[in-house]
Amino acid sequence: MPGPPMLQGPFQVPSFNGYIPRRLQPWIYLLFAFIFLMSGGIYGGAMSQVMGEYSLMREDVLMIIMFNVVGVAMPFPFLFKMKFHFTNRQLLLNAALVVATCNFLIMWTDSVPLMCILAYIAGFFKLCGTFECMSTIQLWMTSKRDFTIFFPLLYCIVLGNMFLSPWVTEHLIYIYQDWRIINWAMTGALLLVAFIVYVTTHDFRFMKPLPFISIDYLGCILWSAWMLEFIFFFTYGEHYNWLDSKIMQMDVLLFIFTGYFCIQRMLHIRHPYIEPAAWKYKRLVPLLILFAFVEFMGSTPKVLQTAFTGGVLHFGAITTNVLNFVEWVGALAGCLFCLFWCKVLCQKYTRLLTIGVATMVCYPVMMYFLINPGLNIEALYLPCFLRSFGNAIFFCMLTVYLEELMPFQHFFMGLTMAGIIRNGPMSAMCSGLYSFGLRYQMADNMSRGLPYDATNLLMLSIRNLYGITCLIGIAVLIIFLLWDVQPVRSTLKKMPSWNFVGKRMKKKKGFAK
């Protein structure tokens, strides 16, 4: 396999017009990627305002947000087919205009199904725009296409936006007293992206366009529906009292039938959305279990921390919003620590996962001992920082491990398979189970006739669930300490150049590992 091309002089984006300075070009694309990742449909920081204006349930708004999250996971198997058919200019223009349109339209409808569809489309195209930006400047970030450099830097932006977006949203809403301000702001930013791309770039191709064929659109829809049916069950489970409701029973049946059609279609068509061979790697299942563990540990604050800060400490949204900033700092620190570990200390990248587990376990352990009705918000800074720090380590290193595990032919399918775990379903399941556990603990404590008021009973219930989380996290940490996870290979493999990938796709041959 030929090595990556050597850069001659400063990095240059070939689609830019000549009057754009070379040194400025990659920073412009980095800004574009930041704007794409910041965009969405309904923003989590605006949840309470949307609920109040449209008289929606919390579950309705969560479901809209989850449609956006699922949409982000689904384009991966299509990305290179789009990259080798359309130009960079076409892809960025279309992505920016589609996401801007969805951001605009979602402000003027109160229909939950329509909001869900718009949020899904926005998520799908924001990932397309982000990929096009980051793949274009990849050689600027690492001239040797070294994923132990690329992924930590990439997740600085991705994870940073996950925590920075709610922080920015809530501050804008607090200033302007209107939840639509974030949609107006993002619509304007995306239209500015489209304008800059239109004015400063031209169509450039490094090879003849490949036919836009062999794309399993129906498979993408089926897998999306399968994920969303799973999310629906755990999002609305508490509201509809789980399987006692006919709606939940129908959802379970739909989930089974949709899963059956997904598998049958995958096995019986020539170019499925996810190929059967992509599921057969020996270490894939343990890797997906690790992704599930990360989501389990990461979902704790969504229910328990929110219940504690709101129901016990009675903090408002602006007060607790500072925790999003703390988590943003933790995510950046975790990504940069991965880079330091792999490139400066030159330690085995898989051993870093043990440090990630340890820092994530510190969060529930510290919260278990911190819970009391007079706690200051500053006491939550360190546990939130450590949780975000460990989460960033896992995201970076597990993605590197996935790239090492799977050949390039299946790697982007593998990202969607990981997305089936981490992009919504596991988070919704853990949040639903925590909500059920909190209600169960409250009922159990009340039935025992404990001499406490409602606030103290809630605090006791939260501490019990944090204790259970501690036990699970410590058990996983002990496994990591006793079992040294071995890498797939002794040296990291090289990512092929785009020319090489395009030629192999054109010949319809597999990719060598």
Side-chain angles (χ1 to χ4, degrees):
M1 183 174 66
M6 298 299 294
L7 293 179
Q8 300 296 327
F11 175 83
Q12 182 178 14
V13 179
S15 59
F16 267 122
N17 294 331
Y19 56 81
I20 304 298
R22 275 188 172 190
R23 295 185 182 277
L24 186 62
Q25 292 174 3
W27 293 103
I28 294 174
Y29 268 58
L30 199 62
L31 176 63
F32 289 171
F34 184 86
I35 293 173
F36 275 119
L37 287 169
M38 186 72 76
S39 64
I42 294 294
Y43 296 83
M47 180 182 295
S48 58
Q49 289 77 13
V50 176
M51 291 167 55
E53 179 167 336
Y54 292 140
S55 299
L56 299 178
M57 299 185 298
R58 176 178 175 273
E59 291 81 1
D60 293 330
V61 183
L62 277 176
M63 198 66 198
I64 297 170
I65 294 172
M66 285 300 175
F67 264 80
N68 182 263
V69 173
V70 171
V72 170
M74 305 317 291
F76 286 109
F78 302 152
L79 290 177
F80 275 101
K81 293 179 181 179
M82 290 190 287
K83 187 174 184 67
F84 294 131
H85 180 78
F86 302 103
T87 64
N88 177 267
R89 172 187 169 93
Q90 291 171 333
L91 289 171
L92 290 180
L93 276 174
N94 289 328
L97 292 175
V98 169
V99 180
T101 302
C102 292
N103 268 267
F104 179 78
L105 293 178
I106 207 167
M107 293 189 288
W108 308 110
T109 178
D110 59 358
S111 170
V112 174
L114 183 56
M115 286 182 176
C116 289
I117 294 172
L118 290 173
Y120 179 90
I121 295 172
F124 191 98
F125 280 92
K126 90 172 185 179
L127 192 279
C128 294
T130 303
F131 171 81
E132 187 58 30
C133 291
M134 299 309 294
S135 64
T136 301
I137 63 174
Q138 186 187 61
L139 286 176
W140 173 67
M141 299 168 70
T142 166
S143 59
K144 296 181 180 179
R145 299 182 186 272
D146 186 346
F147 274 9
T148 57
I149 297 176
F150 178 69
F151 280 128
L153 295 178
L154 172 65
Y155 279 116
C156 279
I157 305 172
V158 174
L159 295 179
N161 272 274
M162 286 175 58
F163 300 117
L164 196 61
S165 179
W167 185 78
V168 172
T169 300
E170 292 191 13
H171 274 82
L172 285 176
I173 292 174
Y174 178 76
I175 295 171
Y176 293 95
Q177 295 298 306
D178 185 0
W179 67 268
R180 291 182 175 86
I181 184 61
I182 184 62
N183 288 75
W184 281 115
M186 294 313 305
T187 301
L190 289 161
L191 291 177
L192 180 62
V193 169
F195 176 77
I196 293 174
V197 171
Y198 184 79
V199 171
T200 64
T201 66
H202 60 274
D203 288 318
F204 172 83
R205 296 186 183 276
F206 59 88
M207 60 179 295
K208 292 183 179 179
L210 297 183
F212 201 51
I213 57 176
S214 303
I215 298 175
D216 186 12
Y217 299 105
L218 181 57
C220 178
I221 294 172
L222 286 173
W223 282 105
S224 300
W226 189 68
M227 292 172 64
L228 291 165
E229 287 157 6
F230 185 89
I231 292 171
F232 181 91
F233 180 82
F234 287 98
T235 300
Y236 286 91
E238 277 291 285
H239 176 74
Y240 289 114
N241 201 20
W242 303 101
L243 289 175
D244 290 339
S245 167
K246 289 186 177 180
I247 293 178
M248 292 290 101
Q249 294 171 4
M250 291 177 59
D251 182 70
V252 172
L253 289 176
L254 280 174
F255 176 77
I256 295 172
F257 280 117
T258 305
Y260 172 80
F261 286 123
C262 287
I263 295 172
Q264 289 300 311
R265 183 172 181 80
M266 177 179 67
L267 296 175
H268 293 97
I269 69 170
R270 185 177 179 183
H271 298 287
Y273 177 72
I274 299 177
E275 295 181 9
W279 297 95
K280 297 179 180 179
Y281 295 95
K282 182 179 179 181
R283 298 175 185 265
L284 179 63
V285 173
L287 186 65
L288 295 179
I289 292 174
L290 287 178
F291 275 118
F293 171 76
V294 174
E295 288 301 318
F296 167 74
M297 298 299 292
S299 65
T300 308
K302 296 179 182 178
V303 177
L304 301 186
Q305 182 177 296
T306 303
F308 176 57
T309 56
V312 177
L313 301 179
H314 304 292
F315 290 154
I318 294 299
T319 303
T320 57
N321 193 33
V322 68
L323 297 178
N324 287 318
F325 185 81
V326 173
E327 290 180 313
W328 174 68
V329 175
L332 294 183
C335 293
L336 295 177
F337 182 77
C338 291
L339 194 60
F340 175 78
W341 178 274
C342 294
K343 309 312 296 184
V344 178
L345 298 181
C346 298
Q347 296 292 317
K348 288 175 59 175
Y349 63 95
T350 48
R351 286 180 180 170
L352 185 57
L353 295 177
T354 304
I355 298 177
V357 174
T359 53
M360 292 187 75
V361 171
C362 284
Y363 169 79
V365 172
M366 295 180 69
M367 290 297 295
Y368 181 84
F369 292 103
L370 284 173
I371 291 177
N372 68 77
L375 191 70
N376 293 324
I377 188 69
E378 291 80 7
L380 300 178
Y381 289 176
L382 182 58
C384 289
F385 175 87
L386 291 174
R387 186 191 67 83
S388 181
F389 183 88
N391 188 63
I393 289 176
F394 260 92
F395 263 87
C396 294
M397 290 299 100
L398 289 183
T399 309
V400 170
Y401 196 80
L402 183 68
E403 193 272 338
E404 288 298 295
L405 174 67
M406 308 182 80
F408 195 79
Q409 179 189 8
H410 294 145
F411 172 58
F412 282 82
M413 294 180 184
L415 290 176
T416 293
M417 292 154 66
I420 292 174
I421 301 295
R422 69 185 183 187
N423 283 49
M426 195 65 192
S427 175
M429 184 183 76
C430 292
S431 297
L433 293 178
Y434 272 120
S435 298
F436 172 78
L438 191 58
R439 178 169 66 89
Y440 177 84
Q441 287 288 334
M442 281 288 292
D444 182 64
N445 290 333
M446 293 176 66
S447 66
R448 291 161 58 188
L450 298 176
Y452 300 132
D453 59 15
T455 300
N456 285 324
L457 287 175
L458 176 60
M459 188 170 61
L460 182 61
S461 301
I462 294 171
R463 180 179 285 118
N464 290 341
L465 290 178
Y466 268 122
I468 295 172
T469 307
C470 289
L471 295 176
I472 296 174
I474 291 172
V476 175
L477 177 59
I478 291 173
I479 293 173
F480 268 81
L481 291 173
L482 295 177
W483 175 47
D484 183 20
V485 183
Q486 296 297 322
V488 180
R489 59 183 75 240
S490 58
T491 57
L492 293 173
K493 65 183 181 183
K494 302 294 184 182
M495 182 179 179
S497 65
W498 298 147
N499 285 327
F500 179 77
V501 174
K503 290 176 182 178
R504 294 302 293 269
M505 290 184 68
K506 188 174 182 179
K507 294 179 180 178
K508 297 183 179 181
K509 292 182 179 179
F511 294 82
K513 191 170 181 180

